[in-house]
Amino acid sequence: MSMPVNEEIERLVRGEHHEPHRLLGAHPDAGQVRVRAWRPDARQVSVLTDGGRAVLERVHPAGLFEGTLASAGDGRLPAYRLEVSDGERVVEVEDPYRFPPTLGELDQHLIAEGRHQRLWERLGARPLVLDGVAGTAFAVWAPNARSVRVVGDFNRWDGRMHPMRTLGASGIWELFVPGVGAGDKYKYEVLGADGALVLKADPLARRTERPPATASVVEASDYQWDDDEWMRRRGERQSVTSRISIYELHLGSWRQGKSYRELAEELPAYVAELGFTHVELMPLAEHPFDGSWGYQVTSYFAPTARFGPPDDLRLLVDRLHQRGIGVLMDWVPAHFPKDIWALARFDGTALYEHADPRRGEHPDWGSLVFNYGRNEVRNFLVASALYWLEEFHLDGLRVDAVASMLYLDYSRQPGQWVPNRFGGNEDLEAIEFIKELNTIVYQRNPTAMTVAEESTAWPGVSRPVHLGGLGFGFKWNMGWMHDTLEYISKDPVYRRFHHHQLTFALMYAFSENYMLPISHDEVVHGKGSLYGKMPGDAWRRLANVRAYLAFMWAHPGKQLLFMGCELAQESEWSHQRSIAWEALEDPGHAGVQRLVRDLNAVAGRQPALWQLDSEPRGFEWISANDVDDNAVSFIRRSADGRPIVCLCNFSPVPRHEFRVGLPQAGAWAEVLNTDSELYGGSNVGNLGMIAAEEITWDGQPASARVTLPPLATVWLAPA
């Protein structure tokens, strides 16, 4: 039974009508057409049609106007415009309430099931032309709200002006507002289930104001991509058998003050010169607090406006691709901040988050945890991942804080968490979400990659879902990072007691597709820079950095190095200043940068260093237990069996006439020596070449007497 008109009017006036189109707009009425217009800002409203002009009567002092038009007789409602006078000026406008819904039933069904993979094309603010009228379709999911209104520049942020309608049981509120276009700011005024009236940013906004302002911005991209060659060949550059060497950076502090467009002119050339295959950008989804570095996300579909509009980010990605450089971005589906204008209690209830604080809050981070058991929330996050990959041509996502998603008791004390239905501490809903995410990402973007920052021994993180894994392409090797940094930070006299920290990672190195991360987390918050971790005087610190980096580049796993480490900058990283470019004025620091360039260059010519990173046959120890000499040596092999040998001396004592086993006799070239004077070293070495004899040693069929420089790593390859 329909609601009496008077009651509907009162609900509209109170701002609580869930379907204003039922009352407003044009409706057949006993052979005529009744038009109701909602204009709280008007003194007089008239209807303009091809047949003329009819003045509407004010039927409620709050701003409801009503009148009748003659019917065309064919059952169609007439097209019309409103003429609105506020007493000082008269304007002609389109009536938002004469337009049909902009979401179909299939869209609503897919969203409810959590299967709408291009959600950004239906929710949010979409400029379009409807019935010949240009405007913007607004749509937002808020199933428990009592009402939702869209406010913005176009209605002077007057919450009375544009109440939205709900679409069935979908929980979606929708309204097409004529005349609104790209660049207009807006928010949703949500009357929540708790009775609070709150201004909310759009969860699906594709652009935002620059923080600290928090409005969403209507966005329409007209960017034309020029990276076809990269996209065609991407698959061969991103597999487990590819050379992957990643330069991680925080855009705001690489060169502070640079925009996306300015970075597009400088960053690709620098990364290409150093020979990295990829960059990894710390999170660029919009976030209000600079000090969160992007890890407290409030807009999962909008690049931060700090550096320019979204199309300028597209330009940066495009330019990197044109230089043959892949682009990864950190993505944060584990938690979101409590800012009341963003996702938290979006419709007056715990909508995106769990209601139970034992499930819904992170005690360490003061943030909220997504409710992965809700279809629409999973859909929101999967669509966000796809959006960045497909709309910004990103080549991969590094997923932040995966361990915090997997475990219900992550960073919680007994009594602060709720076991799963089997009594365990695994978050079964989060696990299913992760599997769904990776399955869909690789189905739709098979040459992209997902990378897990996962710090525990969870099995199968980088194994396919159909084989029982979580489905990531790669996993950060946090154990290797912690162990080796602990080792290298010790004075050489004590390293013999920590030798296992150099070698232990090989016990599990092939259980996952690993990346070796020296990331931003290791050079901040009092941990000191990579240079600052090293013992000894300035020369020894630089030598340790060089030896460690060459060991890292030879170790099984793909490399990731945070910006500033390639300069061996002395201060730890701060997001408030640029990295220490002035360090390059010192020959020793410039030498480390030159070494990083050569590590990438030599590795590019030596498939043995990366082709079998995830297979045991690609690695063999020569000597793993030379504790007293602080030395290790090992062989890396390519798919065709060609070897390269890595010799590391982590003591400050040069080792002359040091016999080392080798896999074959003959001439071996010293293809890299971190003690070279080119890098700031003491130039101790083997004059570029050694001769291996058929003398068995270290379990190898051949051996040679070599010189191991102090605090250095040497690579040998068959000449």
Side-chain angles (χ1 to χ4, degrees):
M1 190 172 79
S2 64
M3 187 182 299
V5 170
N6 287 344
E7 186 178 340
E8 292 205 52
I9 291 173
E10 291 305 317
R11 291 190 64 197
L12 177 71
V13 169
R14 293 197 306 270
E16 297 181 1
H17 205 300
H18 69 287
E19 195 177 358
H21 293 69
R22 192 166 70 189
L23 180 66
L24 303 176
H27 301 270
D29 185 10
Q32 293 184 305
V33 175
R34 185 171 298 277
V35 177
R36 296 190 189 94
W38 176 243
R39 296 296 306 200
D41 60 339
R43 288 191 177 183
Q44 180 176 303
V45 178
S46 300
V47 173
L48 306 179
T49 66
D50 291 341
R53 174 177 179 274
V55 177
L56 301 183
E57 176 187 359
R58 182 188 288 269
V59 296
H60 196 286
L64 183 64
F65 297 82
E66 181 179 317
T68 58
L69 305 174
S71 172
D74 58 4
R76 291 184 301 168
L77 296 173
Y80 66 90
R81 291 168 62 81
L82 299 177
E83 182 185 82
V84 179
S85 170
D86 63 2
E88 295 181 2
R89 62 191 184 114
V90 178
V91 295
E92 289 187 18
V93 298
E94 297 286 348
D95 183 4
Y97 299 95
R98 79 171 182 86
F99 293 93
T102 55
L103 277 82
E105 291 185 2
L106 179 59
D107 291 315
Q108 297 171 50
H109 175 75
L110 291 174
I111 291 169
E113 287 197 338
R115 295 192 297 115
H116 204 303
Q117 295 176 2
R118 295 184 70 82
L119 194 65
W120 65 92
E121 293 184 346
R122 288 296 176 264
L123 298 186
R126 297 179 294 124
L128 52 82
V129 176
L130 197 59
D131 291 347
V133 176
T136 295
F138 295 94
V140 62
W141 179 60
N144 303 301
R146 288 157 61 179
S147 71
V148 181
R149 284 92 80 167
V150 61
V151 296
D153 294 339
F154 47 87
N155 62 14
R156 299 188 293 279
W157 298 86
D158 186 340
R160 302 172 299 164
M161 293 291 293
H162 289 105
M164 304 173 76
R165 65 174 152 203
T166 54
L167 298 177
S170 67
I172 297 168
W173 298 76
E174 181 271 348
L175 185 67
F176 176 74
V177 183
V180 176
D184 283 337
K185 302 181 185 70
Y186 72 98
K187 281 190 177 183
Y188 297 115
E189 190 175 78
V190 179
L191 179 61
D194 55 1
L197 187 66
V198 182
L199 278 177
K200 290 284 191 178
D202 187 350
L204 270 290
R206 301 195 300 277
R207 186 175 177 182
T208 69
E209 283 188 290
R210 180 169 180 156
T214 59
S216 303
V217 180
V218 179
E219 169 68 0
S221 173
D222 58 3
Y223 189 79
Q224 300 295 313
W225 290 91
D226 193 22
D227 63 349
D228 290 351
E229 174 65 18
W230 167 267
M231 297 300 284
R232 274 197 304 271
R233 299 187 57 197
R234 183 170 73 176
E236 64 194 61
R237 304 181 188 190
Q238 301 207 147
S239 74
V240 293
T241 59
S242 304
R243 183 176 82 89
I244 296 176
S245 174
I246 302 169
Y247 184 62
E248 186 197 18
L249 69 152
H250 176 261
L251 276 191
S253 57
W254 185 68
R255 292 190 185 273
Q256 196 171 42
K258 299 288 185 179
S259 66
Y260 292 129
R261 188 165 287 273
E262 290 168 328
L263 288 162
E265 299 300 320
E266 300 180 25
L267 182 61
Y270 180 77
V271 175
E273 180 186 357
L274 290 187
F276 287 97
T277 64
H278 291 72
V279 296
E280 180 174 314
L281 307 175
M282 290 166 67
L284 291 177
E286 192 60 274
H287 51 282
F289 178 45
D290 287 355
S292 79
W293 313 330
Y295 293 97
Q296 297 262 355
V297 177
T298 47
S299 294
Y300 275 78
F301 291 78
T304 179
R306 289 167 174 82
F307 314 123
D311 275 355
D312 284 3
L313 174 58
R314 289 181 172 93
L315 174 68
L316 173 58
V317 175
D318 204 353
R319 291 283 177 83
L320 285 160
H321 283 173
Q322 291 165 28
R323 292 299 297 262
I325 298 162
V327 185
L328 311 179
M329 187 185 78
D330 287 5
W331 182 67
V332 191
H335 63 117
F336 60 95
K338 295 180 179 180
D339 301 75
I340 194 61
W341 53 269
L343 293 180
R345 294 190 64 82
F346 190 82
D347 62 359
T349 68
L351 186 63
Y352 286 89
E353 67 271 32
H354 280 281
D356 187 336
R358 294 174 298 174
R359 294 286 307 273
E361 294 191 23
H362 268 303
D364 284 354
W365 303 328
S367 55
L368 301 174
V369 181
F370 283 104
N371 182 353
Y372 305 107
R374 182 168 270 164
N375 290 345
E376 295 90 344
V377 172
R378 290 198 312 276
N379 196 165
F380 173 81
L381 290 170
V382 170
S384 170
L386 295 174
Y387 177 74
W388 291 102
L389 294 169
E390 297 176 10
E391 294 292 328
F392 287 88
H393 286 206
L394 295 186
D395 303 294
L397 298 173
R398 176 272 205 180
V399 182
D400 183 62
V402 171
S404 76
M405 301 167 68
L406 294 174
Y407 299 98
L408 294 166
D409 59 349
Y410 181 88
S411 193
R412 291 178 172 86
Q413 300 302 315
Q416 295 180 337
W417 61 282
V418 184
N420 64 34
R421 63 180 181 271
F422 302 113
N425 67 341
E426 302 87 357
D427 190 328
L428 304 178
E429 294 168 345
I431 293 165
E432 290 308 307
F433 159 70
I434 290 170
K435 291 179 178 180
E436 178 184 351
L437 167 74
N438 285 314
T439 299
I440 293 172
V441 163
Y442 281 108
Q443 281 176 348
R444 291 179 60 99
N445 302 276
T447 63
M449 68 168 86
T450 58
V451 182
E453 185 214 15
E454 203 285 309
S455 54
T456 75
W458 188 281
V461 171
S462 60
R463 292 295 173 263
V465 172
H466 70 274
L467 296 179
L470 293 181
F472 288 97
F474 294 91
K475 172 181 171 172
W476 275 17
N477 193 335
M478 311 289 278
W480 172 89
M481 178 269 295
H482 285 299
D483 284 351
T484 58
L485 286 181
E486 178 77 12
Y487 173 87
I488 204 70
S489 69
K490 303 295 183 185
D491 187 282
V493 73
Y494 301 116
R495 285 177 178 169
R496 66 189 311 275
F497 304 109
H498 299 269
H499 192 83
H500 65 284
Q501 292 182 305
L502 269 186
T503 60
F504 180 68
L506 268 301
M507 298 296 291
Y508 59 86
F510 310 109
S511 61
E512 302 276 1
N513 302 326
Y514 278 119
M515 287 184 175
L516 310 179
I518 302 300
S519 74
H520 64 277
D521 276 331
E522 310 319 313
V523 294
V524 74
H525 290 328
K527 295 180 182 178
S529 65
L530 185 60
Y531 172 94
K533 296 177 192 298
M534 303 301 171
D537 58 18
W539 190 93
R540 292 190 180 198
R541 288 182 180 224
L542 289 169
N544 274 302
V545 169
R546 296 192 302 266
Y548 180 76
L549 290 177
F551 166 73
M552 172 184 176
W553 252 252
H555 194 283
K558 314 304 183 185
Q559 300 84 34
L560 179 141
L561 190 67
F562 185 59
M563 65 180 195
C565 293
E566 84 278 16
L567 315 177
Q569 73 174 43
E570 297 182 17
S571 59
E572 69 175 24
W573 170 62
S574 168
H575 72 278
Q576 296 177 315
R577 61 176 182 266
S578 298
I579 60 175
W581 295 106
E582 65 277 6
L584 293 176
E585 298 171 8
D586 179 276
H589 292 272
V592 173
Q593 187 193 52
R594 191 175 297 115
L595 171 68
V596 170
R597 181 195 65 195
D598 288 356
L599 289 173
N600 282 323
V602 175
R605 300 189 293 268
Q606 299 288 344
L609 291 172
W610 41 265
Q611 207 168 48
L612 299 178
D613 272 331
S614 296
E615 297 187 40
R617 65 190 178 104
F619 178 90
E620 182 183 351
W621 283 115
I622 296 173
S623 175
N625 300 308
D626 191 351
V627 173
D628 292 332
D629 289 327
N630 293 351
V632 293
S633 53
F634 54 87
I635 305 167
R636 297 297 310 279
R637 284 192 172 85
S638 62
D640 63 5
R642 185 174 173 83
I644 190 166
V645 168
C646 178
L647 310 175
C648 300
N649 177 14
F650 289 112
S651 80
V653 179
R655 308 290 183 189
H656 299 287
E657 299 294 311
F658 187 89
R659 184 169 288 279
V660 62
L662 293 169
Q664 64 190 51
W668 287 74
E670 190 179 70
V671 294
L672 186 115
N673 180 343
T674 66
D675 194 50
S676 166
E677 63 181 2
L678 290 172
Y679 311 132
S682 57
N683 226 26
V684 173
N686 299 278
L687 300 178
M689 192 73 67
I690 65 167
E693 311 165 89
E694 290 183 347
I695 298 175
T696 59
W697 200 265
D698 294 326
Q700 299 296 322
S703 62
R705 293 188 181 276
V706 301
T707 296
L708 293 185
L711 296 175
T713 294
V714 172
W715 293 353
L716 304 174

